[in-house]
Amino acid sequence: MTEHPNTQEGPTEGTQRAGGPLSGPAAAAPVTPMGSRATRTPQPSAARSRRGRQNAAAGDTGPQTDRLRYLDVATRRIARGMDLDKTLRELRRSAVPAFADAIIIHLHDPLPIGDEEPTAPVVLQLHSIDNATETPHAERSRTPVLKRLPLRSEVTERVHPAPDGRLAKLLLAGRPAFGDTPGVALAVAELLAPLASVPGTLPPGRRLIIAPLHGRHHAMGTVVLLRRPDRRAFTGDDLLVASQLATHTAIGVQKAVMYGHEASVADTLQHTMLPSSLPEPTGVRLASRYVPASKTAQVGGDWYDAIPLSGNRVALVVGDVMGHSMTSAAIMGQLRTTVQTLAGLDLPPGEVLHHLDEQAQRLGSDHIATCLYTIYDPISHRLLMASAGHPPAILLHVDGHAEVLRVPPGAPIGVGGVVFESVEMPAPTGATLLLYTDGLVESRDTDVGTGVEALRAHLQTTQHPRPAPSLELLCDQVLDTMGPGDRDDDVALLTARFGGFPTDSVGYWFLDPHPQTAGRARRLTRRTLRRWGLESLLDTTELMVSEVVTNAVRFASRPISLRLLRTDVLRCEVTDDSPQVPRMRRAAPGDEGGRGLFLVDQLAQRWGATRLSTGKVVWFEQQIPRE
């Protein structure tokens, strides 16, 4: 793509200093661009005398000082670019038209990363071309060299330098050269063919400089600088200027490649630690979003998770590790893994945050994070929630009323010595819960409290009285409204719409642990399955319920619970207060017991045993016939 420099931003002939618009001490006096034919405007003798004294005081020695000022500004502009395109854009703006009338940039494809040695042959890919804005003087030039040059269609997009060719040797040497240097014409022809093969197309002799972009260890590409025939040819000092421009550009390109590589690694690291997909538990629908901050290429420690628990419950988690770095992403991954492990123990939210706080302190005292942990039970239609310094959740009711849930905020994870309190509250059917990180509601101009209230007001205004949108659409609306444009921080958003569990699809009993309990459990199971029209599952379900209940009675000291759940599968759960989790074993021919779980394993579609904070639960599932 051909780009024309913005004459308001870049240097222009006869009006601005060689390096473009300057600021600071270097901008004290105008500088005529190098190689131009501009003449000085006559000044009154007093003004000339005063100007001479100022120049003498400043040590101004003419063209040499102009070059030094130009290089100072140009290299600073090139060095401030953090990405590849900006670095090369600053090179083009600095070079055209102050130093050259046109510039052609080729880059190594692919660009080498770090100290790795390229294994494939060198390939140069045309990156960009820039041409000075035509002037009436250029229109009168007898040679139409750069009136239409360069056009991308006239320059080969990909160049494969011959290993023993002149271009390869020039890249290896890493030094700029004039167009009339012996052998350079061959390198230019190899680089710019078929453009160079047309006589009179390129300016002859010292109006062309080819400068390799040579990084610390590898050739990164080439820069070709050209001047019109009506402009003074390049000099030996100009060759040194071109060398400095190429050197600083090569370092900038190498820096941009490494920065981009590290950002890509960090981004991949974080995305692999976030859930690739959300579960689909019965009684609740989920949707999520993760949006990285656009003002930084580094990633942060924001995360979200949805973890299925026993009894069709689900744990909803959102957290934020302070900072933006690969370290933050790595700490986030460790904390997320810890939360998943603790959730498997079926601990209440306050206990989960307590153990998470201990783990964060073991990782280091400088690792601070916030977290909001919630358990939704679709059968009891209740929420159990605890917070560790995290922004509060918002509950959007069916009637459109948006409520900020009041939970003791607690201290952030990693502070230590803090008690986290769990709060129970209703979860109405049809309501939507929003969990988010502070990047959604906090900015440089808005504090968290103001942002939370703005989010609540937005939800209440847009969701009433029309029907609530899908969760996917709701996530997009929230992000578009609360976080448009550039963001200062990452955003993690998790939404859950409560469907609940139909009461007529649940059977729940507490049974005292005595020898007759297994018989009573079979009768309750038989009665419930007949009411649900599942007579085809009676025999297998009775047998498995009897075996699991018998095992629970052996170890329980308090009443056990039996729960039957009917969804697309028939699920049975038996809970007791013994922490001893049963393991399946193969009984010997002479053993009187030990075959219960073997039968469950053979008859059930799935089964498992989970240790709880108050004991354990053993469950199994069977597929319900389609009819």
Side-chain angles (χ1 to χ4, degrees):
M1 171 181 242
T2 302
E3 296 188 16
H4 298 282
N6 186 333
T7 56
Q8 297 301 317
E9 297 180 5
T12 58
E13 272 191 84
T15 59
Q16 295 176 339
R17 182 168 301 132
L22 304 183
S23 60
V31 177
T32 303
M34 292 172 289
S36 71
R37 294 185 176 182
T39 57
R40 297 181 182 272
T41 303
Q43 299 177 347
S45 58
R48 287 200 302 270
S49 177
R50 183 168 59 255
R51 179 67 177 273
R53 289 194 300 271
Q54 290 174 350
N55 289 344
D60 194 340
T61 59
Q64 193 67 22
T65 300
D66 289 349
R67 286 189 178 88
L68 292 176
R69 287 176 176 171
Y70 167 77
L71 275 177
D72 174 60
V73 175
T75 54
R76 282 191 286 114
R77 293 174 96 184
I78 294 170
R80 69 189 180 191
M82 288 301 292
D83 60 80
L84 182 64
D85 289 337
K86 185 174 181 180
T87 298
L88 297 178
R89 182 170 64 248
E90 294 299 337
L91 169 64
R92 297 195 303 271
R93 288 182 175 179
S94 299
V96 179
F99 185 70
D101 294 307
I103 183 173
I104 305 173
I105 302 173
H106 286 78
L107 293 181
H108 195 294
D109 184 29
L111 284 166
I113 300 175
D115 298 338
E116 65 179 19
E117 291 292 338
T119 56
V122 174
V123 177
L124 297 178
Q125 174 73 40
L126 178 64
H127 178 274
S128 54
I129 297 174
D130 219 333
N131 195 8
T133 304
E134 294 182 352
T135 63
H137 188 73
E139 291 288 352
R140 294 194 300 269
S141 176
R142 294 183 179 179
T143 307
V145 181
L146 297 178
K147 288 177 61 178
R148 62 182 181 85
L149 172 74
L151 298 177
R152 181 174 289 271
S153 60
E154 298 173 325
V155 179
T156 304
E157 290 282 343
R158 292 175 67 85
V159 180
H160 302 264
D164 55 349
R166 180 62 190 178
L167 181 57
K169 293 179 180 178
L170 183 71
L171 292 173
L172 185 62
R175 292 188 297 272
F178 291 121
D180 61 355
T181 303
V184 168
L186 297 176
V188 173
E190 191 175 356
L191 180 65
L192 302 182
L195 185 66
S197 62
V198 180
T201 304
L202 293 177
R206 298 202 170 188
R207 286 185 173 82
L208 182 149
I209 292 178
I210 180 170
L213 298 176
H214 207 284
R216 293 182 176 87
H217 305 284
H218 308 291
M220 314 295 289
T222 63
V223 172
V224 178
L225 301 160
L226 307 105
R227 280 185 178 175
R228 293 189 179 95
D230 62 328
R231 186 170 178 176
R232 183 166 59 88
F234 290 114
T235 66
D237 288 338
D238 291 333
L239 193 67
L240 296 176
V241 172
S243 176
Q244 287 296 308
L245 292 178
T247 298
H248 284 272
T249 300
I251 294 174
V253 168
Q254 199 166 38
K255 177 181 67 176
V257 171
M258 289 298 299
Y259 188 82
H261 176 68
E262 291 179 2
S264 175
V265 170
D267 185 67
T268 302
L269 172 66
Q270 182 171 34
H271 278 83
T272 54
M273 291 180 178
L274 292 174
S276 58
S277 62
L278 293 174
E280 298 180 0
T282 302
V284 61
R285 284 175 289 168
L286 305 172
S288 63
R289 292 290 186 274
Y290 170 77
V291 183
S294 58
K295 287 188 175 180
T296 174
Q298 292 178 316
V299 298
D302 294 29
W303 91 90
Y304 62 87
D305 215 340
I307 309 168
L309 303 176
S310 62
N312 284 86
R313 295 170 303 152
V314 60
L316 306 173
V317 191
V318 65
D320 183 6
V321 178
M322 303 303 176
H324 290 83
S325 64
M326 291 184 67
T327 301
S328 298
I331 295 298
M332 176 269 287
Q334 295 182 66
L335 294 182
R336 178 175 176 245
T337 301
T338 302
V339 169
Q340 290 179 325
T341 303
L342 294 171
L345 300 177
D346 209 355
L347 300 173
E351 285 294 312
V352 170
L353 296 182
H354 171 74
H355 292 294
L356 188 63
D357 180 56
E358 292 182 334
Q359 175 65 13
Q361 293 180 67
R362 285 191 288 268
L363 294 175
S365 59
D366 56 338
H367 301 308
I368 303 298
T370 64
C371 185
L372 187 64
Y373 188 93
T374 304
I375 296 178
Y376 169 62
D377 189 340
I379 298 175
S380 64
H381 301 272
R382 305 291 290 178
L383 285 175
L384 194 60
M385 184 180 299
S387 175
H390 201 82
I394 295 180
L395 186 65
L396 179 61
H397 294 266
V398 178
D399 61 1
H401 172 64
E403 175 188 4
V404 178
L405 299 182
R406 303 301 177 184
V407 179
I413 298 296
V415 173
V418 180
V419 177
F420 301 100
E421 183 179 349
S422 299
V423 177
E424 187 175 4
M425 60 194 73
T429 300
T432 303
L433 182 69
L434 282 83
L435 309 178
Y436 51 89
T437 54
D438 58 0
L440 182 67
V441 295
E442 184 181 30
S443 66
R444 295 179 181 178
D445 303 322
T446 306
D447 59 71
V448 174
T450 304
V452 170
E453 177 56 28
L455 175 59
R456 187 205 65 79
H458 164 72
L459 291 171
Q460 184 161 301
T461 301
T462 58
Q463 304 306 317
H464 181 72
R466 64 187 179 89
S470 68
L471 289 182
E472 298 293 337
L473 181 58
L474 177 62
C475 289
D476 292 337
Q477 290 176 348
V478 168
L479 291 177
D480 291 342
T481 303
M482 299 303 298
D486 291 341
R487 294 179 174 87
D488 297 326
D489 198 1
D490 303 343
V491 175
L493 174 64
L494 179 62
T495 60
R497 182 159 293 159
F498 305 137
F501 210 98
T503 56
D504 60 353
S505 295
V506 180
Y508 201 173
W509 306 274
F510 287 95
L511 307 173
D512 291 327
H514 53 70
Q516 291 77 28
T517 300
R520 185 184 176 196
R522 288 194 298 270
R523 290 192 297 272
L524 293 172
T525 300
R526 186 183 310 115
R527 184 189 312 161
T528 303
L529 265 58
R530 284 174 176 166
R531 187 174 73 248
W532 290 345
L534 301 178
E535 287 82 357
S536 61
L537 299 179
L538 271 175
D539 293 339
T540 56
T541 306
E542 275 192 63
L543 177 59
M544 289 188 287
V545 166
S546 180
E547 294 293 341
V548 175
V549 169
T550 298
N551 185 77
V553 169
R554 288 180 57 194
F555 299 99
S557 58
R558 297 179 181 177
I560 66 173
S561 67
L562 169 64
R563 184 158 68 172
L564 298 177
L565 305 173
R566 181 187 60 174
T567 57
D568 55 338
V569 298
L570 176 63
R571 181 182 176 98
C572 172
E573 299 175 350
V574 177
T575 306
D576 64 76
D577 63 339
S578 171
Q580 184 175 348
V581 176
R583 302 298 180 193
M584 187 178 66
R585 65 185 181 88
R586 293 188 179 273
D591 291 346
E592 295 183 0
R595 295 178 178 84
L597 287 183
F598 178 77
L599 291 173
V600 173
D601 182 68
Q602 295 298 309
L603 297 175
Q605 182 184 26
R606 293 195 314 147
W607 76 278
T610 305
R611 183 178 285 111
L612 308 177
S613 58
T614 57
K616 67 174 180 296
V617 58
V618 180
W619 57 269
F620 62 83
E621 292 178 351
Q622 298 179 88
Q623 187 65 46
I624 295 178
R626 291 186 178 275
E627 293 183 0

